[in-house]
Amino acid sequence: MAQQLSVFLENAPGRLSRLARFLGDKDINMHALFVADTSDYGVARVICDKTDEAVAALREAGFSVTITEVVAVEIPDRPGALADLLDAIAAENIDISYSYCFVEPATKNAVNVFRLKDKTAAERIAAAGFRVLSDADLHA
Amino acid sequence: MKKIWNEAAECMPRAQLEAMQLEQLKVLVPHLYNTVPQYKAKLDAAKIDPHGIKVLSDLKYLPYTVKQDLRDAFPYKMFAAPMADIIRLHASSGTTGSISVTGYTRYDIDTWSECVARSIVAAGGEKDDIIHVAYGYGIFTGGLGLHYGAEWMGACAIPVGGGNTKRQVQFLRDLVTKGGMGCTPSYALLIAEAARELGEDPTAWPLRYGIYGAEPWSENIRTELERQLGIDAYDIYGLSEIMGPGVGFECEVKNGLHIQEDHFLFEIVDQQTGEPVPDGEYGELVITTPDKQGQPLLRYNTRDVTRVIPEPCSCGRTHRRIERVTGRTDDMIIIRGVNVYPSQIEQILMSYSEQLAPQYQVIVTKHGSMDHMEVQVELNPTFDFDEIRSLEALRAEAREAIRTTLAVNVELNIVEPHSIERTQGKAVRLIDKR
Ligand SMILES: [Zn+2]
């Protein structure tokens, strides 16, 4: 399992840049940023190095932030690899709340991040032959 | 079927009841004078001899207690019993955001349980019933109040609490094989709706009755509740300053709420002059708690508007009835011709305390010639908001609950924690820009 920050943001000009600037100023490096929004507010999901430090600093500054456990899976660099992964997840009957993709800083491989309801999902995906990344892998 | 829990108390002849009330009042006033400095000051200022109560109607000479007195007494200055005897605290956060605390002794908790037990039995509750309690548990008095009442009369209470509507549906369907439920009327409607969305027909459930309170509701809502859930719906009245739910309740006649006069003396007073009004006329409900121990109150003005129903009730109870309360006088606003009390909105928002913080603002503007009402409420920072779907579902649910209860459309926006401006003292809940 990997840790993701979820930050609640009102949809007002400058909210997201304020978040990004804040993390930058604290020398926290974002690997991935994915924003889900409605017309009135959004949730910014962030994978970064120094997660605990980031949470403490954001809370201190008055941001609403929670840590969400997500499953980050490295996708082999070949056609159909993502489809294979999604098939495996479907075969295990695991519900996907959402997912997004980014490039792993160390290897430059694609990484797909999932929020999955099932607590055993990470193990089962690994057992199906996929490389599930830990926080340490992500921040290498 | 026996529908009166305590016939000796509930059907006590008026003369005997009033004699008892007088005796209790004669003890209460000197006791408060001696134990609560605020009451000593009030009685002295009004030049009242605490031992001078001769007849029940002397009540009208006693000073009022208002919400502000309770705030000034924060936290324990109005307690009339030592902390060694206090076994429970509840608190209410009014529309102004400040908190007032109520303390209960063992006797007070037992009285409360008894009062709620009577309310449940009046709704048709029986000892072998299962009662699904979907009021919020915690410092809010709804959950524990109904829970203790159910246990007091020997029924089985399920402490479900608020939230998780899907589970509510499942429990009501599978666990309440005989019995009833209690929650706010708007929440009951939401449960009914959620059940239908899940393909359930609540009218086919064994559920027989619902005891609905903590927010003002109307005959329209009763009709809806009874139709959608296939039950009998009863109103229960109470406020945490006085005790909690069970101060008054509806019997099977469903025409007004019996105030439990062996524990609560009530008056209806003119909003302007503070003078008692003739029976049958509208005014503010004022309650005195003659046998309460933890925090007895003299003439507490609830600000709830109602009237006495002077005719005796056909159910056989001798305790007088009041008409159902539709709102408080403090804070009414008119939106498109409909009377709206921010407290109604607050009560709905408070039923989502897991997700929403008790910080909100009602903003009224004019869009052309139309009134527009926006409610902003802060996200509860401990809520796992990551899944935006759950937030959106919550928003839709709360907006619908407000629309159903108030009969007014509202724009509901969830805002960042701590983004609604805090002011010192009285919080600004209503911004009317019209
Ligand atoms: Zn009656």
Side-chain angles (χ1 to χ4, degrees), chain B residues 250-256 258 313-317 319 321:
Chain B
E250 280 184 333
C251 63
E252 75 266 20
V253 177
K254 295 180 186 165
N255 180 17
H258 290 278
C313 188
S314 59
C315 71
R317 289 177 182 81
H319 297 180
R321 289 169 295 163

Side-chain angles (χ1 to χ4, degrees), chain A residues 4 6-10 15 36-38 40-41 43 45 64-66 68 97-98 115 117, chain B residues 379 381-389 391-392 395 411-419:
Chain A
Q4 165 199 284
S6 304
V7 185
F8 184 87
L9 297 172
E10 276 168 47
R15 287 286 207 250
D37 66 346
T38 71
D40 304 303
Y41 60 86
V43 175
R45 291 143 184 171
S64 303
V65 54
T66 60
T68 309
S97 298
Y98 57 79
R115 174 152 187 191
K117 288 249 157 66
Chain B
L379 181 74
T382 63
F383 175 60
D384 178 12
F385 53 81
D386 176 51
E387 277 190 278
I388 227 161
R389 235 177 303 173
L391 264 185
E392 280 300 278
R395 186 152 79 129
E411 177 189 341
L412 180 68
N413 287 315
I414 300 172
V415 299
E416 287 176 28
H418 312 294
S419 63

Side-chain angles (χ1 to χ4, degrees), chain A residues 83-107:
Chain A
D84 289 348
L85 172 60
L86 293 173
D87 282 348
I89 292 174
E92 287 288 329
N93 228 342
I94 299 168
D95 276 342
I96 301 174
S97 298
Y98 57 79
S99 84
Y100 55 94
C101 194
F102 73 99
V103 174
E104 192 186 358
T107 62

